[in-house]
Amino acid sequence: MTGRSLSDVISADTIREVGTDVEWARPGARPETVIRPTSAAEVAAVLRWADSEGVGVLPIGEGDRVAPVASGRFVALSTERLSGIEIYEPADLTFTAGAGTAISTIVEALSPHDQWMPFDPPDVSRRSLGGLVALGESGPLWAGYGALRNHVLGMTIATGDGRVLRLGGRVVKNVAGFDLLKPMVGSRGRLGVIMSVCLRVSPVPEVDRLFVVRGDALPELVPVAQRVGTASVLPVSSVLVDDMGDGSGPALVLRLHGAPPTVESDRAVLERHIDRETESMGAEPELVRRIRDRGIDSAVWVEVTVLPTALHDALASIGRLDPSALVVDTLGARIGAGMNAADWSTLDDVRASIERLGGALRVTRGAPEDSLSRRGSESRPEEVDLTAGLGQVFDPGGVLWPARGSG
């Protein structure tokens, strides 16, 4: 312990006192301060200081999706000022931008070139690039375009002990030997602070259509959704919602991309396979947003992942929580459930039933404060060993992701 203060290693204008900011209006401990570095050198300096002083560092983007911290002394390190598009090569379908760059800013830059990022996790338009990559959430469009981790070509990170590493590059085949890039995608800030990202993008499809199958109740549509997964052609996404945001009730929404003849041919194949007619709708941004963000502002938000064959039973278990909103990526068997309130003991019971189905349940918003010290299901020994090994490489002092609750 050197006894240095934070102001000894970083300028005062990067340090912000923690007030009643909305990102900290949640259960759990609060950081001592929020640090907003403007360069990779400042990020590394903060991490070296924290490593020497025994202070935890909680990396955040916009701060809305950070899991609560149960206890301990820590500071929050925001990447919001590490923003801006550094390189954009439309002909190569790649760009490099700071981690704090808003997704909406990137969308505006890509649009004139008829390019886009084919990722649609909830509320994606309000996220930062670094936050999107750190969480590793692709959204239902993974079915047509692949997972987000396959589109990340390179990044610059700072490790827990303050080393700056440049991983990958700006081309698809850029790795010889161990690929240290892939573990960073979805690492949630546990392995390093993401400072910039090089991402591959896609051309905007010529035709983007939604084809809707209506039903009186969600359970009625689950077998239909499961049949979609066995068809000879697949949609770029398949989403089951309890309502499309217009009061019309449960619907299975299939999204198709391609040239006009291809889209119509694929629609015909799918209708024959599922033995149901579909209603054709344009993929208008507001409609897509309503489906994608269904229930995202709920007081309690639960995410469940199960095997596709267990989807019906998982939805039956979640029904015990009386959700006010449900969104299901049916090809990935990922369920999002929103509630106005929830009883934690019931949540524990539902978690246990989901785990018996071979799945996992995580509360990402609204967990009661006394739940932060509780543990979920135990990780397998090989997972613990792998995580510990990665931690020793990237964060030997245990600076990052301090004292997290299990949620």
Side-chain angles (χ1 to χ4, degrees):
M1 301 284 284
T2 65
R4 291 183 303 163
S5 69
L6 186 56
S7 59
D8 291 334
V9 299
I10 195 166
S11 60
D13 66 344
T14 65
I15 303 172
R16 189 181 72 185
E17 295 301 318
V18 177
T20 57
D21 304 59
V22 65
E23 64 263 32
W24 305 113
R26 56 163 64 88
R30 293 190 176 204
E32 295 181 358
T33 190
V34 177
I35 308 163
R36 301 183 299 157
T38 59
S39 68
E42 289 183 335
V43 174
V46 170
L47 290 167
R48 286 194 296 270
W49 167 82
D51 191 36
S52 66
E53 298 298 319
V55 177
V57 174
L58 177 67
I60 64 172
E62 73 290 337
D64 289 341
R65 293 166 188 82
V66 179
V69 175
S71 62
R73 182 188 177 200
F74 71 102
V75 297
L77 192 153
S78 169
T79 60
E80 63 181 297
R81 296 170 73 180
L82 302 174
S83 63
I85 297 176
E86 301 166 9
I87 303 171
Y88 176 30
E89 299 288 355
D92 294 337
L93 295 171
T94 64
F95 74 87
T96 302
T101 309
I103 295 298
S104 58
T105 298
I106 298 170
V107 169
E108 290 176 4
L110 298 178
S111 181
H113 301 278
D114 291 326
Q115 295 176 1
W116 72 316
M117 295 184 296
F119 318 118
D120 61 342
D123 213 17
V124 64
S125 59
R126 293 198 298 183
R127 299 193 186 200
S128 66
L129 177 62
L132 180 71
V133 173
L135 288 176
E137 296 176 347
S138 309
L141 280 172
W142 74 270
Y145 291 89
L148 172 62
R149 70 174 59 244
N150 297 329
H151 295 261
V152 177
L153 303 179
M155 67 174 69
T156 301
I157 70 165
T159 62
D161 54 358
R163 290 168 289 154
V164 175
L165 304 181
R166 290 174 176 83
L167 309 176
R170 292 170 52 200
V171 295
V172 175
K173 295 183 74 65
N174 55 28
V175 176
F178 292 109
D179 186 355
L180 296 180
L181 179 63
K182 291 295 189 289
M184 295 301 303
V185 182
S187 62
R188 297 177 177 267
R190 175 62 183 86
L191 301 179
V193 178
I194 297 173
M195 298 185 290
S196 70
V197 177
C198 179
L199 197 68
R200 177 176 56 188
V201 296
S202 298
V204 171
E206 183 179 354
V207 175
D208 185 357
R209 301 289 295 176
L210 304 180
F211 296 95
V212 181
V213 180
R214 305 282 184 177
D216 295 327
L218 275 179
E220 170 193 337
L221 293 173
V222 171
V224 181
Q226 290 174 323
R227 286 199 296 274
V228 168
T230 63
S232 58
V233 299
L234 289 177
V236 295
S237 70
S238 173
V239 177
L240 188 62
V241 288
D242 62 334
D243 191 89
M244 293 176 61
D246 56 4
S248 58
L252 174 64
V253 184
L254 309 177
R255 194 171 182 179
L256 296 178
H257 287 170
T262 303
V263 168
E264 285 304 320
S265 173
D266 289 351
R267 176 192 187 182
V269 170
L270 285 168
E271 287 184 337
R272 287 195 299 270
H273 188 77
I274 66 176
D275 195 25
R276 299 285 287 266
E277 292 186 354
T278 62
E279 174 188 349
S280 177
M281 307 178 72
E284 302 299 331
E286 177 57 25
L287 176 59
V288 170
R289 185 200 63 77
R290 289 204 312 264
I291 296 169
R292 180 195 71 206
D293 297 346
R294 173 73 177 156
I296 197 60
D297 291 326
S298 302
V300 180
W301 186 256
V302 173
E303 295 177 354
V304 172
T305 304
V306 292
L307 295 171
T309 53
L311 193 55
H312 185 278
D313 291 339
L315 285 170
S317 293
I318 294 170
R320 296 175 55 198
L321 301 175
D322 192 24
S324 56
L326 275 170
V327 184
V328 184
D329 169 7
T330 66
L331 296 175
R334 299 182 181 94
I335 306 167
M339 290 152 280
N340 298 322
D343 175 76
W344 191 252
S345 63
T346 303
L347 273 167
D348 277 347
D349 291 343
V350 171
R351 186 201 301 270
S353 67
I354 294 297
E355 290 174 350
R356 285 193 294 271
L357 294 173
L361 179 149
R362 187 165 62 98
V363 182
T364 62
R365 184 186 304 116
E369 188 157 3
D370 63 3
S371 73
L372 297 182
S373 60
R374 301 188 186 195
R375 294 180 57 84
S377 59
E378 294 290 338
S379 298
R380 291 177 295 182
E382 58 268 29
E383 293 174 339
V384 173
D385 291 342
L386 177 60
T387 302
L390 286 170
Q392 283 299 310
V393 172
F394 288 99
D395 184 22
V399 167
L400 299 166
W401 243 50
R404 291 299 182 91
S406 63

